Amino acid sequence: MGEIERTHIEDEMRESYINYAMSVIRGRAIPDVRDGLKPVQRRILYGMQQLGITSDKPQKKCARIVGEVMGKYHPHGDQAIYDTLVNMAQDFSFRYPLIDGQGNFGSLDGDAPAAMRYTEARLSSIAERFLDEIGEETVDFAPNFDDSLTEPVVLPAKLPNLLLNGSWGISVGMTTQIPPHNLGEVIDGVIHLIDHPQAGYEELQTLIPGPDFPTGGLILGREGIDGAYQQGEGRIRIRAKVQVEDNRIIVSEIPYQVRKSTIVETIARKVKSGEIAEISDLRDESDRNGLRIVIEFRRNANPQLVLNKLYRYTPLEWTFGANFLVITNGNPRKLSLKEMLGCFVAHRREVVRRRTAHRLRIAEERVHLLEGLLLALAHREEIIKLITGAKDAPSAQALLQQRYELSEIQADAILKMRLRQFTGLERDKIGKEHREKQVASEGYRRILASEQELDELIKQELRDLKDQYADPRRSQIIADAGGLQVTDESLIPDEDLLVGVSSRGYVNAPREDVYRRQHRGGKGVIAMRLRDEDRIKHIFLANARDHLLVFSTAHKAYKCRAYDLPSLHRAAKGENLRSLIGMSAAEQVAALVPLRLAGERQRYCLMATRLGILNTNKLDDYASSHTNGIIAINAIPDDRIVDVAVSEGQGDLILASAGGQTIRFAETQARCTGRPSKGVRGLRLNSGDELVALTPIVAGAPEDKLLLITENGYGKRTPLAEFPKQGRGGKGVLGIKVSRKTGRVVTVRAVCDDDEILIITELGKIIRIAAKDVRVVGRYALGVKVIGIERGDRVVSIVRQPADKVKRDEE
């Protein structure tokens, strides 16, 4: 026995795994940059050529092809070989199929192909262009798996298959995903690079604008394409091609690598779950004439909104993750578009150079032989006499070589000449062939001596292939796709929601227009059903597209989307807001405002606290708020936020207390501080009183009256002119006389005559009335009954519907 070699298991495992990984990378999953083929694909094409199953011959059973390839070149299982063969025959997988299949080779629905014993195949015409020069010493051959045969290391490929049909594969720690392209465009790019080796990306992308998928579709934007072409990786968004007709959407092209059945199933699932509730019917009407998916939507649905939802929630929009990883010089490497084209050009130059050298050698050998035959024809009587007088054939050959200084090949050819070749016609034929071979040899020498001649030949061959195989582009590229971006906002209907929040944090946000106007003094309708011991605390108006700032009694501000709030029917119990934001069980909602940061004007967030403190911060300071909340103000423990408003900082403010006191002062008196701050004194309160509301007053705005509502359902409107401007921090003036009958003040709002008011009670009753139905009286009046309150109930909040919105709703 030999000496045992000791090694660390970690080193052995590492080395073995690296060897295995590189074997998989090079030998199975990653394509060669030169012919764009993985080893199994290359072996299938070569094996079929060796079997003679070319495009001009009848198809042969796939089982026979698979057996040939597995037995001679690829011993990794028949299923792997057959799956690859099937894939190369699918016109929805390969832009230019390399196999011409007969039988069931699968479908766009993802249906499995028939067993290999039932299907037949042959090489396609374009696949033969990969093999045309295989016998002219153009590529190297290596031993097969058992050293019994040799196989090509790479095919001489006249076309850049790596870009034409793309490639995809997963290896050990690596993946490649190269999209297919249009043959005519790629050939134009190759020719341009041959003529202009220093061409930049800008030049190449005008000739090769982007991928061209076999299933068509729309490519949105150039960002992903540019990234893939310049850095070797990028995310390319593909969208189905659709047409809207009446109340239906017709899908005629789908994204690459997406199954049609997957699209139909996903749409059906989203409709069933209610995510795309506007769809009423879905049918797959595809046939042999083409793909056709019919999506019918409800009559009152917005077609663009339905489309946006389909693009967002289903594979009708798909992202192709391009990754240009290839094998070059035996190693995996990520290449740019120009580098891939350059590698193909270098490969073609090497192939054509070796082909030309091979053809030159063959031509020179033939010229040499023909020169011997011509010499024999010139001395035919002497040569015939010499041959007939010789002892035997070897002696005759030796005499010919000695007397006429012929080579062994020439002498042997003369001995093999037939008498008929000594006729005049045969002499002319041999002479013509000799001249042709000399001309051909001279042409081959010129090509080998001149890089320019070599490149011209490559370009002409590419042009001929373009004329033969080029076809129109299938995928449309929309360079400026900004308007087609499916944003969250584009999926949300532009509608107003009435957000009701309970003391235990339950929220419901039905559409605002489900509440019809009633007469003043009515009992209203149910707005939200409550759980045991729960009460309504607030009501807010928000657009479904708004981001919302939710202020809590713990001085924090949370952010969420209005559309994410549960929008159930108006009498539903709602869902807990804590499922959307990180508000603790001890916190309650104090106020809610839309966070609209768009626009050039600076806006401010005004926060009033129970103890009469006013905080003024820039609204932009809350852009960073999130579902876990940020500190809104620095307040003392006994204080809390009671009302929040947004203003532009140029008007007045009115603050009101539960006891009916009000104060009006210029907003500029409350200096803007950074978040969070302690704020400034807004209203000096009497003992036992507390601040309940604030409302901005904009100079020149139509709002000319102050609406005051009490907890027992009384309210009044008082002209703003009756509220004098004062200095901030005073006790103000009486705004409404409160009593046991009216109850304490709930809120105040600046309104105009054409506004509408929605009033909600603690037990979930709501009434919608015209602002002008509320009587206009002075500051010292009690007001009138605006909503009938049941025993144990009270008003907790109101919402103002501005006059311009009321007018739009009526129209």
Side-chain angles (χ1 to χ4, degrees):
M1 292 179 62
E3 184 179 352
I4 297 175
E5 182 180 350
R6 294 183 178 274
T7 184
H8 290 287
I9 190 170
E10 295 90 346
D11 297 335
E12 182 66 25
M13 291 293 291
R14 183 183 303 108
E15 184 177 350
S16 297
Y17 188 77
I18 290 174
N19 291 338
Y20 162 73
M22 291 306 297
S23 174
V24 173
I25 290 168
R26 293 172 178 164
R28 295 200 195 180
I30 309 299
D32 192 293
V33 70
R34 295 168 291 179
D35 61 7
L37 297 170
K38 301 177 191 178
V40 64
Q41 295 172 326
R42 186 180 303 116
R43 288 163 178 166
I44 290 171
L45 298 182
Y46 180 66
M48 292 179 70
Q49 190 219 36
Q50 293 300 103
L51 282 173
I53 314 175
T54 53
S55 62
D56 58 344
K57 304 287 178 56
Q59 283 105 339
K60 299 294 184 183
K61 287 288 184 182
C62 289
R64 180 179 177 185
I65 299 169
V66 170
E68 177 81 5
V69 174
M70 183 171 65
K72 290 184 176 180
Y73 309 113
H74 196 77
H76 299 296
D78 56 350
Q79 195 59 48
I81 299 172
Y82 184 54
D83 288 346
T84 302
L85 187 149
V86 166
N87 189 250
M88 291 194 292
Q90 293 172 336
D91 58 5
F92 51 87
S93 295
F94 269 48
R95 182 64 175 81
Y96 301 94
L98 303 181
I99 301 294
D100 178 13
Q102 176 70 34
N104 175 15
F105 277 79
S107 72
L108 198 56
D109 278 324
D111 297 323
M116 67 180 79
R117 63 182 178 273
Y118 298 119
T119 56
E120 299 178 344
R122 62 184 176 187
L123 290 173
S124 68
S125 174
I126 199 169
E128 293 178 4
R129 308 291 81 79
F130 291 62
L131 297 153
D132 283 342
E133 305 153 325
I134 195 77
E136 298 186 86
E137 300 177 357
T138 52
V139 294
D140 294 333
F141 279 69
N144 68 340
F145 63 91
D146 62 358
D147 291 340
S148 62
L149 297 167
T150 60
E151 61 177 314
V153 174
V154 66
L155 296 186
K158 290 183 177 179
L159 290 166
N161 179 66
L162 186 64
L163 287 172
L164 297 187
N165 283 316
S167 186
W168 55 94
I170 299 175
S171 183
V172 180
M174 295 184 179
T175 181
T176 187
Q177 185 91 324
I178 302 171
H181 291 73
N182 183 272
L183 183 145
E185 294 173 354
V186 172
I187 287 180
D188 289 341
V190 172
I191 292 175
H192 184 80
L193 189 61
I194 293 174
D195 291 335
H196 306 87
Q198 305 303 319
Y201 170 67
E202 292 75 14
E203 296 178 49
L204 291 176
Q205 68 97 11
T206 60
L207 300 170
I208 308 176
D212 187 25
F213 298 104
T215 54
L218 308 176
I219 299 175
L220 306 183
R222 292 213 53 86
E223 183 178 357
I225 298 174
D226 293 341
Y229 284 178
Q230 292 179 284
Q231 286 84 43
E233 59 180 311
R235 296 175 62 81
I236 301 171
R237 286 195 302 134
I238 318 168
R239 180 176 289 183
K241 187 175 182 180
V242 303
Q243 183 177 355
V244 179
E245 300 177 355
D246 298 326
N247 289 327
R248 62 182 182 173
I249 297 168
I250 309 297
V251 181
S252 56
E253 297 176 6
I254 61 176
Y256 182 54
Q257 293 183 337
V258 176
R259 295 178 177 179
K260 175 162 60 70
S261 59
T262 300
I263 291 176
V264 175
E265 291 167 4
T266 304
I267 295 174
R269 190 165 56 249
K270 295 297 180 181
V271 172
K272 186 176 181 180
S273 67
E275 292 181 76
I276 314 180
E278 297 88 347
I279 292 177
S280 60
D281 193 19
L282 173 66
R283 298 188 303 277
D284 181 5
E285 298 181 355
S286 305
D287 55 24
R288 66 180 60 188
N289 295 320
L291 184 144
R292 179 182 171 89
I293 302 173
V294 180
I295 305 167
E296 295 188 357
F297 49 85
R298 304 185 191 284
R299 188 172 300 276
N300 60 347
N302 182 335
Q304 191 57 51
L305 179 62
V306 177
L307 270 176
N308 287 341
K309 288 185 176 182
L310 288 169
Y311 292 142
R312 171 58 68 89
Y313 298 135
T314 75
L316 282 181
E317 183 170 311
W318 187 256
T319 299
F320 183 93
N323 189 24
F324 289 3
L325 181 72
V326 296
I327 298 297
T328 175
N329 296 324
N331 295 308
R333 185 184 165 201
K334 193 174 292 184
L335 301 182
S336 67
L337 173 68
K338 182 178 179 179
E339 288 172 326
M340 286 197 295
L341 294 175
C343 288
F344 173 75
V345 171
H347 177 56
R348 280 307 295 166
R349 284 171 174 161
E350 175 68 14
V351 167
V352 173
R353 190 178 289 111
R354 291 178 64 165
R355 182 191 72 187
T356 305
H358 171 81
R359 290 178 180 179
L360 174 60
R361 179 174 60 80
I362 298 299
E364 287 179 338
E365 290 175 356
R366 184 64 177 169
V367 167
H368 177 67
L369 188 146
L370 291 173
E371 286 176 347
L373 296 181
L374 289 174
L375 185 145
L377 293 171
H379 302 84
R380 54 186 179 275
E381 291 86 359
E382 299 174 15
I383 288 177
I384 292 173
K385 185 177 180 181
L386 184 150
I387 293 173
T388 55
K391 178 182 177 181
D392 52 22
S395 301
Q397 182 174 334
L399 289 172
L400 286 172
Q401 288 182 248
Q402 180 180 1
R403 181 172 299 183
Y404 296 103
E405 297 181 353
L406 297 174
S407 68
E408 183 178 344
I409 294 174
Q410 289 174 319
D412 183 66
I414 291 172
L415 287 175
K416 292 178 180 178
M417 289 181 69
R418 298 177 180 178
L419 288 175
R420 68 180 184 183
Q421 290 182 277
F422 288 95
T423 64
L425 184 62
E426 288 293 326
R427 287 200 303 271
D428 292 342
K429 183 178 179 181
I430 293 172
K432 181 181 178 181
E433 183 184 358
H434 179 259
R435 291 190 296 274
E436 289 175 350
K437 293 299 181 183
Q438 285 183 316
V439 172
S441 298
E442 186 60 33
Y444 297 144
R445 293 189 191 95
R446 284 199 306 272
I447 292 171
L448 293 173
S450 170
E451 289 289 337
Q452 185 177 356
E453 288 277 348
L454 184 75
D455 286 348
E456 286 299 324
L457 177 59
I458 294 172
K459 290 191 295 182
Q460 187 55 51
E461 290 177 350
L462 287 171
R463 293 188 190 101
D464 293 341
L465 291 171
K466 178 182 176 181
D467 292 340
Q468 185 176 359
Y469 297 109
D471 58 356
R473 166 172 277 278
R474 297 182 189 177
S475 297
Q476 179 185 352
I477 299 175
I478 303 176
D480 183 12
L484 298 177
Q485 181 77 25
V486 179
T487 61
D488 288 340
E489 184 170 323
S490 66
L491 299 173
I492 299 172
D494 185 9
E495 59 189 18
D496 289 330
L497 306 176
L498 198 66
V499 183
V501 183
S502 76
S503 60
R504 292 171 59 183
Y506 287 92
V507 60
N508 188 23
R511 287 172 52 177
E512 167 268 334
D513 57 8
V514 301
Y515 301 100
R516 296 181 179 179
R517 184 189 296 180
Q518 296 174 273
H519 295 294
R520 176 180 62 82
K523 292 185 178 182
V525 297
I526 292 293
M528 181 175 174
R529 293 196 181 276
L530 300 169
R531 291 162 175 81
D532 293 341
E533 299 181 2
D534 200 6
R535 295 290 184 269
I536 290 289
K537 291 289 291 184
H538 300 283
I539 185 172
F540 306 101
L541 186 66
N543 189 278
R545 295 185 173 184
D546 287 340
H547 284 274
L548 302 180
L549 280 178
V550 181
F551 293 86
S552 78
T553 53
H555 324 310
K556 296 180 72 174
Y558 302 87
K559 185 166 72 172
C560 65
R561 291 296 301 262
Y563 186 68
D564 291 333
L565 300 177
S567 185
L568 309 174
H569 57 85
R570 63 179 177 83
K573 291 184 178 182
E575 297 176 10
N576 203 304
L577 186 60
R578 292 178 180 85
S579 64
L580 299 177
I581 60 177
M583 194 170 68
S584 69
E587 293 177 80
Q588 293 185 358
V589 175
L592 183 151
V593 295
L595 180 64
R596 300 172 184 170
L597 299 179
E600 298 179 356
R601 294 182 179 180
Q602 179 66 262
R603 291 181 298 159
Y604 300 89
C605 183
L606 310 173
M607 293 162 286
T609 74
R610 183 180 70 87
L611 298 183
I613 302 300
L614 179 67
N615 280 261
T616 304
N617 300 138
K618 292 180 179 178
L619 190 60
D620 291 349
D621 290 349
Y622 296 92
S624 62
S625 57
H626 43 72
T627 56
N628 290 326
I630 58 175
I631 299 298
I633 63 171
N634 283 331
I636 63 176
D638 291 338
D639 204 3
R640 68 175 187 273
I641 296 172
V642 294
D643 202 3
V644 179
V646 175
S647 78
E648 295 183 357
Q650 302 300 316
D652 296 342
L653 296 178
I654 290 183
L655 279 63
S657 75
Q661 289 297 116
T662 61
I663 186 170
R664 178 178 182 177
F665 56 86
E667 188 177 340
T668 53
Q669 293 187 25
R671 68 181 183 275
C672 179
T673 55
R675 180 199 67 80
S677 64
K678 292 183 178 180
V680 296
R681 175 73 63 183
L683 175 63
R684 191 172 300 277
L685 298 166
N686 296 322
S687 177
D689 201 2
E690 63 181 16
L691 191 70
V692 293
L694 70 86
T695 184
I697 308 297
V698 181
E703 294 82 18
D704 59 351
K705 298 177 182 66
L706 187 69
L707 173 70
L708 300 98
I709 300 293
T710 68
E711 60 185 353
N712 288 343
Y714 284 81
K716 69 173 185 176
R717 290 185 299 152
T718 301
L720 289 174
E722 294 192 21
F723 295 88
K725 283 189 181 182
Q726 297 178 299
R728 175 185 57 78
K731 287 195 171 184
V733 298
L734 186 68
I736 184 172
K737 183 181 287 187
V738 298
S739 64
R740 182 176 297 179
K741 176 182 177 182
T742 63
R744 293 157 64 89
V745 174
V746 173
T747 190
V748 298
R749 290 290 182 264
V751 298
C752 67
D753 291 345
D754 293 330
D755 288 346
E756 288 186 344
I757 307 299
L758 290 96
I759 305 169
I760 195 166
T761 73
E762 195 173 52
L763 295 181
K765 291 290 186 70
I766 190 170
I767 189 172
R768 180 175 191 159
I769 62 173
K772 60 186 176 184
D773 289 346
V774 181
R775 186 181 301 171
V776 178
V777 294
R779 288 194 292 113
Y780 296 97
L782 291 175
V784 295
K785 195 79 168 179
V786 293
I787 183 173
I789 299 294
E790 298 177 359
R791 184 181 297 273
D793 200 2
R794 69 187 189 93
V795 174
V796 292
S797 187
I798 71 167
V799 162
R800 168 185 169 246
Q801 184 71 297
D804 57 347
K805 179 64 172 63
V806 173
K807 184 177 181 181
R808 289 197 300 270
D809 289 346
E810 291 175 349
E811 292 175 348

